[in-house]
Amino acid sequence: MQDKNVLMALLHGLNRQQMVDTLTGGLGVVAGFVPRAAEGYCIPEKELLEVQKYDVELAKSYLAKAGYDGKDKRDLN
């Protein structure tokens, strides 16, 4: 978790809207690190959606930059 590329892959590899919809039955909204109630301090919704957009291919490219080749190296035996 020290590699910025891995953190960026997680940021773009999580479908936040799907998580919110599943957890709230479609009643929630995606939020950033600062709650929307703190209007003067939070990122505007349009900007938030761009910064935290769900993009699997972008996430994969960040993982490749981090040296992950897509193969699971754990020994499952």
Side-chain angles (χ1 to χ4, degrees):
M1 297 303 284
Q2 299 297 319
D3 190 326
K4 181 180 177 183
N5 290 308
V6 173
L7 296 175
M8 292 301 290
L10 286 172
L11 178 71
H12 292 289
L14 294 174
N15 187 337
R16 296 171 188 277
Q17 187 63 57
Q18 183 179 17
M19 288 173 45
V20 168
D21 290 345
T22 300
L23 294 170
T24 67
L27 299 175
V29 292
V30 176
F33 299 108
V34 178
R36 290 186 181 182
E39 284 183 37
Y41 302 97
C42 68
I43 298 174
E45 185 175 354
K46 281 180 133 179
E47 188 177 339
L48 177 68
L49 293 175
E50 182 59 31
V51 172
Q52 296 183 350
K53 69 182 173 186
Y54 173 60
D55 186 337
V56 174
E57 294 307 314
L58 183 57
K60 287 179 182 179
S61 72
Y62 278 117
L63 286 175
K65 287 179 188 177
Y68 180 71
D69 62 5
K71 294 182 175 43
D72 189 354
K73 295 182 172 98
R74 294 178 291 170
D75 182 8
L76 301 177
N77 293 326

